[in-house]
Amino acid sequence: MPGLDQMLAVFLDTLRDVLPIGVVLTVFQFFILKRPIPNPHQVLLGFAYVVIGLTLFLLGLEQALFPVGRMMASQFTDPGFLGTQGPGGDQANHWMAYLWLYLFAFCIGFSTTIVEPALIAVAHKAHLLSGGTIGAWGLRIAVALGVALGITLGVYRIILGVPIHYFIIAGYVIVVVQTFFAPRAIVPLAYDSGGVTTSTVTVPLVAALGLGLAENIPGRTALIDGFGLIAFASLFPIISVMTYAQISEWRVRKRMNRLTKRSAGDNQENPEGEYK
Amino acid sequence: MQSLKSLFRPLLESARDLTPIVLVIAFFQFAVLQQPLPNLGGLLFGLLLVLMGLTFFVRGLDLGLFPIGEAMAHALARKGSLFWLLCFAFCLGFATTAAEPALIAIAEEAATVAATGGMIVDTLDARDGYALGLRLTVALAVGTAIVLGVLRILKGWPIHLMIAGGYLLVVLLTLVAPPEIIGLAYDSGGVTTSTITVPLVTALGVGLASSLKGRSPLLDGFGLIAFASLLPISFVLIYGMVI
């Protein structure tokens, strides 16, 4: 249980963190726009809630999310659970032994993303923007799959010990190449979806998982291998969203082609790319 | 009483966000690992704190920060003064990122790891300094990114060329940066843009794009967050080289 002095320290830190936002908004409101603040009482109450909420969240983080992430990491890499002989042996680094861990990483990534409120809002906008070719649910599943695959691959990388930038640079190349072929309207949205998906709760939990893994797997250090899971989780949705848009567009085009072929009756092939 | 009632909805939403995580962890803990949870009381109390914290935080953002921030973004976008608009864009990106909870959490964790790994001196002061330096670096990067993004909306520069250029910069910096910072730097891109930053920055982008002729709010309003998640990578790589 956190002591009262610890609570106070976190509270003061939080106050210091939120203060700049207040200063920026006040200065611009009074000196640049020269307008009074509407509903000053409500705004002040809101700021008080933000400080209280942030304090409680950061305290709970230390109590629950960080310890759980580390604990799961150490349990999944325990030689007794893996069924391998001693730590440090070649057997312990065999990637098949970590099958449950990959499944866990996949489930955490998928389940936290599918309920993410920011993503639900973005998916709805994308549905309108595409004129209905991109379904809101399809997009959410695409992003969630992207995050899940990303975290799983990130865990695989920690176990393997390969430098992270090989994976990330390969991912960048895929993103750039895909950008040329993806429907234009989806591109900014796809780029944004990478940043939107990693929520306040997921980030600490996933970071703790990565650090715990790097500490427990023989031959890895937290300093070099511990970070990077979130990078995978923000890169893969970009790829999966563009892939989803391409598949949707391709299916719509195929259906349109078939329809026109049937109704035209003259059996003439439609020129490629006429339907967008 | 009224204000307590208004907290009930965000409480339900926070609970809904946390449920899948709790379910997945519980399933793997009891069905796969078959281990009891140590210190269950402490964990549940911590979870309760997270739940309460998120509830107050989200409600507070809805009451105070979002209405005033969005109104201001719209007002400044329409005011037409480029200098003040860019000034506001930078300050908004900087201040919201400095207060981002996920970033605070990661920076502290990174400082602990750097201290135990021998990258910095293992004292409380050195750790706090490292964590604060990291957060300010990321905040500076996001501020700069929002300015760039706003300029892009104004000038109509193509987004994919800028993103590809950003990737190239990241790759080049990776080649010369110390290996200890690379993972953290890549992570910082995803961490920066969450609860506070995304809604305010999106409001600025959409407000700006809808007040300009020939710009579509949906096409041009998006994309600010993409810059805000790309530029911190380069800045943190540089931070790792300097320190």
Side-chain angles (χ1 to χ4, degrees):
Chain A
M1 300 276 153
L4 218 66
D5 50 338
Q6 192 199 344
M7 274 190 175
L8 194 69
V10 175
F11 180 76
L12 288 178
D13 278 353
T14 309
L15 207 57
R16 191 195 63 192
D17 293 334
V18 176
L19 205 60
I21 304 183
V23 171
V24 167
L25 292 183
T26 316
V27 165
F28 275 89
Q29 188 77 13
F30 285 125
F31 295 98
I32 315 299
L33 292 170
K34 299 196 177 75
R35 277 184 216 167
I37 292 176
N39 299 328
H41 286 290
Q42 189 196 321
V43 170
L44 271 181
L45 184 70
F47 265 93
Y49 276 0
V50 165
V51 175
I52 294 171
L54 207 50
T55 308
L56 292 178
F57 175 77
L58 290 174
L59 284 170
L61 207 66
E62 297 287 329
Q63 288 276 311
L65 294 182
F66 277 146
V68 164
R70 297 228 172 191
M71 186 190 67
M72 300 293 281
S74 78
Q75 285 174 352
F76 272 117
T77 49
D78 186 57
F81 173 73
L82 292 172
T84 49
Q85 293 311 306
D90 275 354
Q91 190 68 32
N93 274 351
H94 193 267
W95 65 272
M96 274 298 284
Y98 295 99
L99 218 53
W100 280 116
L101 177 59
Y102 298 136
L103 197 63
F104 176 68
F106 188 89
C107 289
I108 279 285
F110 192 87
S111 63
T112 54
T113 312
I114 205 86
V115 294
E116 174 69 34
L119 177 63
I120 296 173
V122 166
H124 182 65
K125 269 184 196 151
H127 180 68
L128 298 176
L129 177 120
S130 65
T133 49
I134 295 169
W137 262 106
L139 189 77
R140 277 169 71 185
I141 291 173
V143 174
L145 274 179
V147 173
L149 286 175
I151 295 180
T152 312
L153 194 68
V155 166
Y156 176 64
R157 179 201 74 90
I158 293 178
I159 291 167
L160 219 60
V162 178
I164 180 172
H165 48 272
Y166 294 164
F167 286 89
I168 299 293
I169 291 171
Y172 284 170
V173 172
I174 296 177
V175 168
V176 170
V177 171
Q178 239 183 338
T179 302
F180 287 105
F181 298 103
R184 286 200 68 90
I186 200 77
V187 169
L189 234 159
Y191 286 165
D192 270 7
S193 67
V196 168
T197 49
T198 42
S199 79
T200 316
V201 179
T202 319
V203 165
L205 189 71
V206 167
L209 182 73
L211 288 171
L213 286 177
E215 279 162 8
N216 284 298
I217 294 172
R220 307 282 168 271
T221 62
L223 194 57
I224 307 253
D225 305 294
F227 290 101
L229 285 183
I230 298 155
F232 280 91
S234 19
L235 182 61
F236 269 67
I238 306 182
I239 299 173
S240 66
V241 167
M242 285 201 275
T243 308
Y244 176 70
Q246 282 173 297
I247 292 174
S248 314
E249 196 192 42
W250 177 73
R251 277 176 51 190
V252 167
R253 194 187 298 157
K254 215 173 100 180
R255 199 186 314 140
M256 295 275 274
N257 270 344
R258 212 170 42 220
L259 277 176
T260 38
K261 233 189 280 177
R262 202 179 295 157
S263 60
D266 53 3
N267 281 342
Q268 216 166 20
E269 197 73 35
N270 276 299
E272 193 66 29
E274 195 180 321
Y275 300 102
K276 281 242 153 133
Chain B
M1 207 55 227
Q2 190 61 39
S3 61
L4 272 182
K5 228 176 190 172
S6 70
L7 278 172
F8 190 65
R9 234 176 76 92
L11 182 71
L12 278 185
E13 282 171 3
S14 307
R16 188 196 60 195
D17 294 352
L18 275 175
T19 308
I21 301 182
V22 173
L23 286 182
V24 168
I25 288 175
F27 172 76
F28 277 88
Q29 191 68 29
F30 297 121
V32 177
L33 293 163
Q34 292 174 354
Q35 304 240 346
L37 276 167
N39 188 16
L40 189 64
L43 282 183
L44 285 181
F45 182 67
L47 204 61
L48 188 72
L49 284 181
V50 168
L51 186 68
M52 297 287 296
L54 277 180
T55 305
F56 271 103
F57 184 65
V58 170
R59 182 69 195 142
L61 289 181
D62 279 344
L63 274 181
L65 207 53
F66 289 162
I68 189 171
E70 282 172 19
M72 202 174 277
H74 277 281
L76 274 163
R78 279 160 212 277
K79 199 166 182 270
S81 159
L82 182 66
F83 173 75
W84 286 118
L85 181 63
L86 292 183
C87 226
F88 179 69
F90 181 83
C91 292
L92 190 72
F94 187 90
T96 52
T97 306
E100 198 65 77
L103 181 63
I104 300 175
I106 287 293
E108 277 173 13
E109 201 72 346
T112 315
V113 171
T116 25
M119 206 175 145
I120 54 171
V121 197
D122 195 0
T123 62
L124 201 61
D125 273 357
R127 263 191 280 171
D128 280 354
Y130 181 81
L132 190 65
L134 198 63
R135 278 170 54 200
L136 290 183
T137 308
V138 175
L140 203 66
V142 174
T144 314
I146 306 298
V147 169
L148 269 179
V150 166
L151 275 175
R152 176 193 84 89
I153 295 177
L154 291 174
K155 307 274 178 199
W157 293 331
I159 182 172
H160 50 277
L161 288 185
M162 294 179 76
I163 295 287
Y167 284 168
L168 198 66
L169 185 68
V170 168
V171 172
L172 290 178
L173 283 171
T174 304
L175 296 178
V176 284
E180 301 88 36
I181 203 75
I182 293 175
L184 179 64
Y186 286 171
D187 268 3
S188 63
V191 171
T192 49
T193 45
S194 48
T195 329
I196 314 181
T197 319
V198 170
L200 282 182
V201 163
T202 310
L204 181 67
V206 171
L208 192 59
S210 50
S211 65
L212 285 172
K213 272 208 182 93
R215 298 276 182 277
S216 127
L218 288 170
L219 263 178
D220 298 294
F222 284 104
L224 279 179
I225 292 160
F227 289 114
S229 25
L230 187 55
L231 218 55
I233 305 181
S234 310
F235 275 51
V236 173
L237 285 173
I238 295 172
Y239 180 68
M241 284 188 265
V242 171
I243 209 165

